[in-house]
Amino acid sequence: MRDTIDFGIDLGTTNSAIAVADDDTVTVIKNNDGWDTTPSAVWMPKPDLVHVGRRARERVESDPENAAAEFKLEMGLADARTSFARAGVRLSPPQLSAEVLKSLRADAAHHTGTPPDAAVITVPAAFTLNQNKATTDAALLAGFTTACPLVQEPTAAAFAYGFDDADERAYWMVFDFGGGTFDAAVVSKRDGDLRVLDHSGDPYLGGKLIDWALVERILAPAAARELGLEEFRRDNPRWRYNFAKLKAAAEEAKILLSRMDQADLLVDLTGADGGSETFEYTLRRGELDATAEPFYERAINLCRRALKEAALGPADIDRLLLVGGVTLSPGLRERLADPRHGLGIELDVSLDPTTVVARGAAVFAATLRRPRTQTRVEGEFAVDLAYEPIVTTTRPTVAGRVSGPATGWGGHSVTLSNPEGRPPFTTGRIPLSDTGHFVTEVDIDKGRTSRFRVELIDDRGAPRPLTPDTLSIKHGEVEFGGVRLAHSLGIQLADRAFAPMLRKGVTLPTSVREVFHTAAALRRSDADAVIRIPVLQGERSRGERNRVVGQLEIRPKDVTIDLPPGTEVEVTFEVDASSLVTVVADVPLVQTQFEGEINLSDVRIPDAEVLETLLAETERRLDTLRGTASSGGSSDVAGRLARIEAEGTVTTAREQVRAARVDVGAAATAEERLRELQAELDDVEDAALLPALAEELDGLLDEADRLVDVLGDPADRVELAGLRGRSREAIRARDIAAVRAQIDRAGRLLMELERRSPDWPVTLFQGLREMLEPSGGAQALIQEGERAIAAGDRPGLDGVNQRMIRMLPKGEQDKIIGLVRR
């Protein structure tokens, strides 16, 4: 029986694979077709008959009403379903993924004799919480009886390379461009310690997008012209079969172009009259590279982002580890090797990019003890063992506690022996403590797996049966640094800002607790009242630009007293090694806890009409910013817009929105693209405002300088000097939030200086007049104040100012009162 999980699965968008760590080697398990990879496709030609793999993948083109593929992109969408007409069923993405996992599990059973009860399953680093949860659901549906740990795909790839090259000291970057997703990871390899320092990615950037771009931008227009097809669009149900065939042809051509300069396509399509017509097209590598260029650009920019966050540059990276089928493209490899337009890092293709993730998952699985589900039988002895299954020392520690029918443990002992060791090893008898505990060191063979027999000897010197009676410890040169959190996690505040509590990159498992304060009261007399605390996942400062993954709710029925504004709420986040999250809120005032409803089963398919509206809004914002840039605006604005254009984000979003009505994966891709595009336009708009904000800040500082000379003291001069330094730094860093913060501080300093002036009441009056909405009451006060100024009536003007302050909104009142009372 295995002591460690040992099996690793790459559950891919296009293809999947399973590997096993056994006898100090890692083997990719072949399927019934003799292939290392199994197409992630399902075909159901009739009820209760399911085909997975090659035959199913072929039917996606010829029988799309009864076959499905690329459903990984739909994982985590609660209402996503694929209909199988002849079978009369509708399956969710986790159910479809489960069929693929069942097939891989059966291949493993054929290879080893028994089906594994657990496996490490890989997920993209950019996967969201609901997508990870859907993956664990698929594992349960596939029949795995033990919880399957998840590990990010680039991390698994790094494990595979690190396993085979243990002595190297270096920085690596994993470039994982698969069928549906892209991940980049920066890896540190030092003295046998392998750690992922940072990663960046896109859960909807993969070879599928390149295939569809070839179809929509090259093949479909050519077919429409040649065959006279009207309204030949992907979202037109009339042409569903044709587009399925063109998509398959594009994928096949892309694969051929990794070895050839051109690919001749012959595709049988349905013509305008309903008959079959052959569409011929010669696709050249140059056309593929030109079409794929924006996707390559986006992937490279994500790599640069990961490097920047790790405080490294391309020159610091020793090797670029290529993973995923897209990396077989010569055009991409040439681009990556180019130091100007790519990364300029030495490419490493020593491992098969299509199976390296499964290999790495198996390497990681060999470090995880397999949970033993043993039934304790009355009258028999059992032992709970504690040890690390893989170590970098040759003398590890093993501990345990024996339980069973003995009335006491005096005279009892255990022995651990490895007769196959080099040399053979035995501990001799280790006496048990009064509680049945023992601890010892064992010798293991360098670079091998050492298997020990555990024997129990009773107080009469007789051996007694013990469960379990074996354990295995492997010596390895590499120690893995653990899994990292892929996205920051936190809550949205009342001002809609994002307050991250766990930052991206923290090692899992982990937990954190922070104290927040409620912005509004909760009165028990108001049954409909609620305090909602949205739980967000992402990196953007604006809450709505991140993904909502759940929320905490506090209702009147949950508390015993009214909660005033400012009530303390302690929020605790816990994340396990598979990135599954628990959130708890504690209100000390009422000594009550509220577990967050992290409802990962209620993320829905984006509505096509909503996506179309959002696209139109995004394009309007983009046109406005283009106008700003063309009229001589900030060079930073022009540079940011050029980067957006180079990545083809808008074109991709437009194509995916158009396909959203017929393709759930396209709808999810469109939503992600538009959310990110909106956030990027936020940054561009901030950059466009920077010159005006910088000019405003300079003006405030100059005015403060003048007033300090007239009204200030040495402390004011020191404060102003610090303010100038922080302002210069904020402007140089192009940090809009910091510039705005310095404007606020400069304004407060000015107000404090002006308050010391004899003309302060007049200055305050003029400022209040600009702040008040024009109304009868305000106008009467303004006239009264003007009369007081003309008459030199300072007490009368002070009274007018106080009444004007009370007419302001509550928040503005507090600010002004604070300044007046300082």
Side-chain angles (χ1 to χ4, degrees):
M1 180 178 290
R2 296 178 181 273
D3 296 311
T4 48
I5 292 178
D6 293 344
F7 292 90
I9 293 176
D10 174 13
L11 185 60
T13 305
T14 306
N15 294 293
S16 297
I18 184 169
V20 61
D22 220 352
D23 295 326
D24 305 314
T25 61
V26 176
T27 304
V28 177
I29 298 173
K30 296 185 181 297
N31 60 20
N32 286 338
D33 292 315
W35 293 2
D36 287 342
T37 61
T38 296
S40 302
V42 174
W43 175 43
M44 297 184 67
K46 61 182 181 179
D48 302 321
L49 179 60
V50 180
H51 294 283
V52 173
R54 176 183 57 80
R55 293 181 66 187
R57 183 65 189 85
E58 292 168 352
R59 297 292 178 162
V60 170
E61 173 188 348
S62 61
D63 189 14
E65 292 184 350
N66 298 288
E70 297 176 346
F71 34 80
K72 180 176 177 177
L73 300 180
E74 302 171 15
M75 292 287 273
L77 297 175
D79 51 346
R81 295 290 185 277
T82 299
S83 296
F84 293 83
R86 294 197 195 99
V89 298
R90 300 175 73 241
L91 300 184
S92 67
Q95 289 173 316
L96 293 167
S97 297
E99 295 299 335
V100 176
L101 291 173
K102 287 178 188 177
S103 177
L104 297 173
R105 190 165 177 252
D107 293 334
H110 179 75
H111 178 81
T112 63
T114 56
D117 59 359
V120 167
I121 301 176
T122 64
V123 293
F127 249 22
T128 53
L129 297 182
N130 55 302
Q131 292 171 312
N132 287 338
K133 175 62 165 54
T135 304
T136 61
D137 291 344
L140 290 173
L141 292 171
F144 288 103
T145 55
T146 301
C148 291
L150 305 182
V151 67
Q152 290 110 342
E153 289 166 4
T155 301
F159 289 166
Y161 278 94
F163 175 72
D164 286 343
D165 193 358
D167 296 327
E168 185 177 356
R169 301 183 63 188
Y171 285 115
W172 302 338
M173 170 165 267
V174 177
F175 186 92
D176 184 356
F177 208 146
T181 61
F182 174 78
D183 284 308
V186 182
V187 181
S188 168
K189 183 81 178 301
R190 286 290 182 274
D191 302 324
D193 183 53
L194 186 72
R195 295 181 182 274
V196 175
L197 301 182
D198 205 288
H199 48 58
S200 185
D202 185 336
Y204 298 102
L205 174 64
K208 173 185 176 179
L209 283 183
I210 298 174
D211 297 340
W212 278 117
L214 287 172
V215 171
E216 299 213 50
R217 302 174 196 178
I218 296 177
L219 300 183
R225 288 192 303 270
E226 182 177 323
L227 305 181
L229 305 178
E230 296 182 356
E231 297 185 1
F232 193 58
R233 303 185 315 273
R234 182 179 169 191
D235 61 328
N236 187 341
R238 177 185 178 189
W239 305 117
R240 178 183 179 185
Y241 280 79
N242 280 356
F243 273 88
K245 292 179 178 180
L246 288 176
K247 166 67 166 62
E251 183 178 351
E252 182 180 354
K254 184 182 67 178
I255 295 171
L256 289 173
L257 290 173
S258 66
R259 303 185 300 273
M260 305 165 60
D261 292 329
Q262 65 180 45
D264 295 322
L265 280 68
L266 293 174
V267 188
D268 291 331
L269 300 178
T270 301
D273 60 357
S276 178
E277 296 192 48
T278 301
F279 166 63
E280 299 182 28
Y281 191 88
T282 298
L283 185 67
R284 292 173 172 78
R285 183 181 290 173
E287 291 177 287
L288 168 62
D289 289 341
T291 303
E293 172 64 24
F295 306 105
Y296 296 165
E297 176 76 14
R298 179 170 176 78
I300 290 168
N301 284 340
L302 288 168
C303 289
R304 291 170 178 153
R305 183 186 303 171
L307 287 170
K308 182 178 179 181
E309 291 177 355
L312 297 169
D316 298 310
I317 306 301
D318 298 279
R319 289 190 289 163
L320 189 68
L321 315 180
L322 299 189
V323 180
V326 178
T327 63
L328 294 170
S329 166
L332 175 57
R333 293 188 177 187
E334 291 169 9
R335 172 72 184 272
L336 289 172
D338 187 320
R340 180 179 178 186
H341 299 292
L343 295 171
I345 302 171
E346 179 184 347
L347 306 185
D348 188 329
V349 294
S350 57
L351 295 179
D352 181 354
T354 64
T355 60
V356 63
V357 169
R359 290 174 57 86
V363 171
F364 183 57
T367 71
L368 302 177
R369 288 184 61 185
R370 176 177 163 272
R372 298 201 184 202
T373 55
Q374 59 191 44
T375 303
R376 295 181 184 266
V377 179
E378 188 71 26
E380 293 189 358
F381 292 92
V383 60
D384 290 323
L385 296 168
Y387 63 93
E388 293 296 327
I390 183 168
V391 295
T392 54
T393 178
T394 56
R395 194 165 178 78
T397 298
V398 178
R401 180 179 183 273
V402 179
S403 59
T407 57
W409 297 108
H412 287 72
S413 61
V414 295
T415 301
L416 277 68
S417 60
N418 175 17
E420 303 299 323
R422 302 175 183 174
F425 172 82
T426 181
T427 60
R429 291 190 178 185
I430 308 166
L432 297 183
S433 71
D434 291 342
T435 56
H437 286 86
F438 71 90
V439 62
T440 186
E441 291 183 336
V442 297
D443 289 343
I444 64 173
D445 297 330
K446 187 177 178 65
R448 300 179 64 231
T449 298
S450 299
R451 294 178 172 83
F452 294 87
R453 179 172 178 79
V454 185
E455 295 180 280
L456 172 67
I457 298 94
D458 67 16
D459 53 357
R460 300 176 184 175
R464 302 297 297 270
L466 186 65
T467 305
D469 59 0
T470 62
L471 66 91
S472 299
I473 302 177
K474 178 179 179 179
H475 176 267
E477 299 289 348
V478 178
E479 183 174 347
F480 302 120
V483 178
R484 300 296 185 100
L485 185 66
H487 307 275
S488 296
L489 287 168
I491 67 172
Q492 180 170 299
L493 303 177
D495 63 358
R496 306 186 72 79
F498 176 45
M501 292 176 60
L502 286 172
R503 290 286 186 178
K504 166 189 172 184
V506 66
T507 301
L508 301 180
T510 188
S511 65
V512 66
R513 172 178 291 190
E514 287 190 24
V515 176
F516 298 90
H517 296 84
T518 59
L522 183 70
R523 305 191 187 283
R524 298 183 70 238
S525 58
D526 184 358
D528 296 327
V530 62
I531 294 176
R532 289 192 176 91
I533 307 174
V535 180
L536 306 180
Q537 176 180 4
E539 314 306 323
R540 297 289 180 174
S541 59
R542 287 175 58 174
E544 68 266 27
R545 300 306 186 214
N546 298 302
R547 184 181 292 274
V548 177
V549 295
Q551 66 180 6
L552 298 162
E553 291 189 350
I554 305 174
R555 296 182 178 275
K557 64 181 179 62
D558 300 319
V559 298
T560 56
I561 61 173
D562 291 347
L563 300 183
T567 297
E568 281 192 358
V569 179
E570 294 180 358
V571 179
T572 301
F573 274 70
E574 293 184 357
V575 188
D576 70 12
S578 292
S579 297
L580 300 179
V581 181
T582 301
V583 184
V584 174
D586 179 58
V587 183
L589 184 63
V590 292
Q591 298 181 342
T592 304
Q593 283 191 342
F594 308 88
E595 185 162 350
E597 184 186 346
I598 307 302
N599 189 353
L600 302 179
S601 301
D602 198 34
V603 179
R604 302 284 165 174
I605 301 171
D607 182 82
E609 292 184 0
V610 172
L611 292 174
E612 289 166 2
T613 300
L614 186 56
L615 175 63
E617 176 193 332
T618 303
E619 292 188 315
R620 282 194 298 271
R621 290 180 68 191
L622 192 54
D623 287 341
T624 300
L625 288 167
R626 286 185 182 123
T628 300
S630 64
S631 62
S634 165
S635 60
D636 190 30
V637 171
R640 289 171 183 262
L641 289 176
R643 186 164 59 250
I644 292 172
E645 299 286 357
E647 290 186 1
T649 307
V650 181
T651 301
T652 300
R654 195 179 295 123
E655 291 173 348
Q656 297 304 302
V657 168
R658 193 164 53 237
R661 294 183 183 276
V662 296
D663 185 338
V664 172
T669 303
E671 182 186 45
E672 187 72 16
R673 281 289 179 276
L674 290 171
R675 180 190 292 112
E676 183 170 352
L677 190 51
Q678 289 275 21
E680 289 177 353
L681 294 182
D682 292 342
D683 294 342
V684 177
E685 287 171 348
D686 281 346
L689 289 173
L690 183 61
L693 291 174
E695 183 178 351
E696 179 184 354
L697 180 55
D698 286 339
L700 289 171
L701 293 173
D702 289 344
E703 178 64 12
D705 193 58
R706 183 185 68 79
L707 289 178
V708 166
D709 287 340
V710 177
L711 304 167
D713 55 31
D716 295 321
R717 179 61 63 187
V718 170
E719 182 179 353
L720 179 59
L723 187 55
R724 280 194 180 278
R726 291 191 298 271
S727 298
R728 283 194 299 270
E729 181 59 32
I731 293 171
R732 183 164 51 247
R734 313 192 73 80
D735 187 336
I736 295 293
V739 170
R740 286 190 167 122
Q742 300 314 312
I743 288 174
D744 187 50
R745 291 190 180 97
R748 289 202 300 271
L749 177 59
L750 272 176
M751 290 288 282
E752 167 60 24
L753 292 168
E754 288 174 343
R755 192 179 65 83
R756 303 174 195 172
S757 168
D759 296 330
W760 164 247
V762 176
T763 302
L764 178 59
F765 171 79
Q766 301 293 354
L768 291 170
R769 180 165 63 179
E770 292 182 6
M771 296 173 69
L772 285 174
E773 293 288 336
S775 66
Q779 194 60 37
L781 274 177
I782 290 170
Q783 291 172 359
E784 183 179 344
E786 289 172 343
R787 288 194 296 270
I789 292 171
D793 180 6
R794 175 161 181 165
L797 183 57
D798 286 341
V800 169
N801 285 341
Q802 291 299 324
R803 283 179 283 163
M804 292 176 75
I805 290 173
R806 287 195 291 270
M807 297 184 71
L808 293 171
K810 183 67 169 61
E812 297 295 333
Q813 284 186 42
D814 294 340
K815 290 180 183 178
I816 298 298
I817 290 171
L819 287 167
V820 171
R821 290 179 177 172
R822 279 184 61 181

